[in-house]
């Protein structure tokens, strides 16, 4: 039998087949974009820690928005405050059971030998990677545009390990060490999220052993990701470059102390700590909170006036929803938050407005698709 050409076959098929049904003009065509496995939509328990200061205000906003969008999560709430001697065991057990937590800020006493509960949580659950996403929000005026930086810092070692002691009266020794797992996490994140460059921030010109080890780890991991550009920058220069040309950065990987400073600086560049989402993740557990630590508890006036900015924690809860593999809910929430900020009618004082937390929350709920 002779082989028929493709154009001839198409003509024969079109001539013999009935015309394809056209969609009703009032109905949009939909395509299958996500096919969940059976049971994927089952509600997930999430540990909730309202925290101190503005914490109850912004976590309250998260609860209202989650309820309004019928997100498949429910909360186990625990009353924890920064002046407690330790994190209650029931809270740790809840996070271990649920594997996910969202929290407001916990006040950390300065000096006096009182341990930070934030640090206790990270060490107890081995949440070794802190991730803060610093990017411009639409229609929010800032000094720099085109900024989209992810700061990934080591969360449990070095200064944040709390390993310090008084050798002799008046002489205090602090131990600092690094791990290659934070470098692996940064490059894996860059690879999975189609990021093009990783910058390692260090002070190896002075801290030749500790930060030198950090750079060795980064270089070794970078060699396994040839498609990702890798460079290094001393933290002094990095600080200057960050405030003058932040658009040059993509993913930044840092030891913990430098990363805390870099993340808060980057937050200030693109609108402040009130809009920066973040999370802490380890092998088994994840805790989501406001990304930049400065101002995550707020001052008394903001608490009394109930004008805390809920945007950062709402965006962090969108990160949490993606982590739980509920991407459509995460997209809806993120889109609604960005729409409210872009419209500009409801903004808190730190974004140039005068709205209360509840007014912003109501606007986000009204903007949900």
């Amino acid at each position: 039998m002779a082989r028929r050409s493709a154009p001839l076959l198409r003509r024969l098929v079109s001539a013999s087949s009935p015309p394809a049904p056209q969609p009703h003009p009032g109905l949009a065509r939909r395509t299958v974009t996500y096919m969940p496995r059976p049971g994927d939509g089952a509600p997930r328990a999430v540990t909730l820690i309202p925290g101190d200061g503005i914490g109850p205000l912004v976590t309250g906003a998260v609860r209202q928005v989650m309820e309004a969008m019928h997100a498949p999560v429910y909360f186990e709430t625990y009353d924890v405050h920064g002046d407690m001697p330790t994190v209650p065991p029931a809270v740790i057990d809840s996070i271990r059971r649920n594997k996910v937590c969202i929290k407001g800020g916990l006040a950390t006493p300065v000096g006096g030998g009182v341990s930070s509960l934030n640090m206790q949580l990270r060490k107890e659950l081995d949440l070794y990677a802190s991730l803060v996403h610093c990017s411009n929000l639409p229609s929010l005026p800032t000094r720099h545009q085109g900024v989209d930086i992810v700061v990934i810092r080591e969360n449990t070692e070095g200064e944040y390990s709390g390993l310090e002691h008084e050798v002799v009266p008046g002489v205090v020794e602090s131990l600092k060490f690094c791990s290659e797992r934070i470098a692996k996490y940064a490059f894996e994140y860059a690879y999975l999220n189609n990021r093009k460059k990783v910058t390692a921030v260090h002070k190896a010109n002075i801290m030749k052993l500790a930060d030198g080890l950090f750079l060795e780890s980064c270089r070794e991991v970078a060699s396994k990701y040839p498609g990702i550009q890798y460079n290094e920058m001393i933290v002094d220069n990095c600080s200057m470059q960050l405030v003058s040309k932040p658009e040059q950065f993509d993913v930044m990987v840092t030891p913990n102390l430098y990363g805390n400073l870099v993340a808060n600086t980057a937050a200030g560049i693109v609108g402040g700590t009130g809009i920066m989402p973040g999370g802490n993740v380890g092998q088994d557990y994840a805790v989501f909170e406001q990304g930049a630590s400065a101002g995550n508890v707020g001052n008394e006036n903001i608490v009394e006036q109930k004008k805390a900015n809920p945007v950062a924690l709402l965006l962090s809860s969108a990160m949490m929803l993606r982590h739980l593999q509920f991407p459509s809910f995460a997209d809806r929430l993120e889109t609604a938050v960005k729409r409210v900020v872009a419209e500009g009618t409801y903004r808190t004082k730190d974004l140039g407005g005068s709205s209360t937390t509840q007014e912003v929350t109501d606007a986000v709920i009204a903007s949900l698709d």
Side-chain angles (χ1 to χ4, degrees):
M1 180 178 176
R3 178 178 297 177
R4 288 172 173 163
S5 64
L8 177 58
L9 284 173
R10 282 196 292 267
R11 287 198 298 271
L12 290 171
V13 170
S14 62
S16 59
S17 301
Q22 297 300 313
H24 189 278
L27 299 176
R29 294 185 63 185
R30 299 186 63 183
T31 57
V32 175
T33 57
Y34 175 63
M35 294 181 64
R37 292 173 298 178
D40 271 1
R44 288 285 303 274
V46 173
T47 304
L48 174 66
I49 301 174
D52 298 312
I54 67 170
L57 289 172
V58 294
T59 55
V62 169
R63 297 188 69 151
Q64 291 179 58
V65 173
M66 291 291 180
E67 182 177 351
M69 66 191 303
H70 304 289
V73 297
Y74 62 95
F75 297 102
E76 296 179 0
T77 305
Y78 290 87
D79 196 24
V80 182
H81 299 284
D83 57 0
M84 291 180 172
T86 60
V87 179
V91 178
I92 299 295
D93 291 342
S94 174
I95 300 175
R96 290 189 188 278
R97 181 173 61 254
N98 299 330
K99 299 189 182 301
V100 175
C101 170
I102 190 161
K103 62 183 283 291
L106 292 172
T108 301
V110 179
V114 180
S115 177
S116 163
L117 297 195
N118 297 301
M119 190 176 72
Q120 284 187 31
L121 273 174
R122 295 165 190 167
K123 291 177 64 177
E124 183 72 24
L125 300 169
D126 195 24
L127 306 173
Y128 67 88
S130 166
L131 186 149
V132 181
H133 189 189
C134 304
S135 62
N136 294 110
L137 291 183
S139 300
L140 186 65
T142 58
R143 185 179 298 273
H144 297 279
Q145 294 297 318
V147 179
D148 187 5
I149 303 171
V150 174
V151 181
I152 295 174
R153 68 181 176 101
E154 211 294 320
N155 220 12
T156 59
E157 297 182 348
E159 291 85 359
Y160 277 55
S161 66
L163 293 177
E164 57 181 5
H165 62 280
E166 191 172 28
V167 183
V168 296
V171 179
V172 176
E173 181 180 50
S174 176
L175 303 182
K176 178 173 180 175
F177 51 94
C178 298
S179 169
E180 70 172 343
R181 63 181 181 173
I182 193 65
K184 290 181 178 179
Y185 183 86
F187 277 91
E188 190 67 11
Y189 175 90
Y191 176 77
L192 293 175
N193 289 276
N194 198 30
R195 294 277 178 161
K196 306 301 181 184
K197 180 169 67 173
V198 173
T199 301
V201 182
H202 66 95
K203 189 66 177 173
N205 56 325
I206 302 298
M207 307 292 292
K208 297 184 183 297
L209 296 180
D211 283 22
L213 176 60
F214 171 72
L215 285 186
E216 287 180 16
S217 298
C218 289
R219 291 167 185 169
E220 181 179 351
V221 175
S223 66
K224 301 174 183 177
Y225 293 83
I228 298 175
Q229 181 184 347
Y230 170 69
N231 68 325
E232 300 167 357
M233 192 172 291
I234 295 175
V235 65
D236 315 45
N237 182 37
C238 176
S239 301
M240 187 272 290
Q241 295 288 336
L242 195 57
V243 298
S244 57
K245 294 186 292 184
E247 61 278 359
Q248 69 182 285
F249 296 105
D250 191 355
V251 175
M252 305 174 76
V253 58
T254 77
N256 49 47
L257 182 58
Y258 309 153
N260 194 16
L261 304 176
V262 166
N264 281 275
T265 302
I269 290 170
V270 294
T273 60
I275 63 172
M276 294 298 104
N280 308 279
V281 66
Q283 189 66 41
D284 300 307
Y285 313 106
V287 174
F288 296 88
E289 58 186 334
Q290 184 170 311
S293 59
N296 66 350
V297 176
N299 58 48
E300 292 183 4
N301 288 336
I302 295 177
V303 177
E304 291 174 0
Q305 297 171 12
K306 298 183 178 180
K307 291 187 174 182
N309 190 349
V311 167
L313 200 64
L314 287 172
L315 293 176
S316 296
S317 63
M319 292 174 60
M320 179 191 75
L321 288 169
R322 288 199 181 91
H323 178 79
L324 291 171
Q325 298 185 19
F326 298 128
S328 60
F329 287 94
D331 291 343
R332 286 180 62 202
L333 175 53
E334 199 169 76
T335 299
V337 171
K338 291 181 177 179
R339 183 179 294 144
V340 169
V341 174
E343 289 173 350
T345 305
Y346 298 98
R347 291 180 181 176
T348 49
K349 184 178 180 180
D350 58 315
L351 300 184
S354 59
S355 301
T356 64
T357 306
Q358 190 60 53
E359 288 172 339
V360 175
T361 303
D362 291 341
V364 171
I365 291 173
S367 297
L368 289 169
D369 291 329

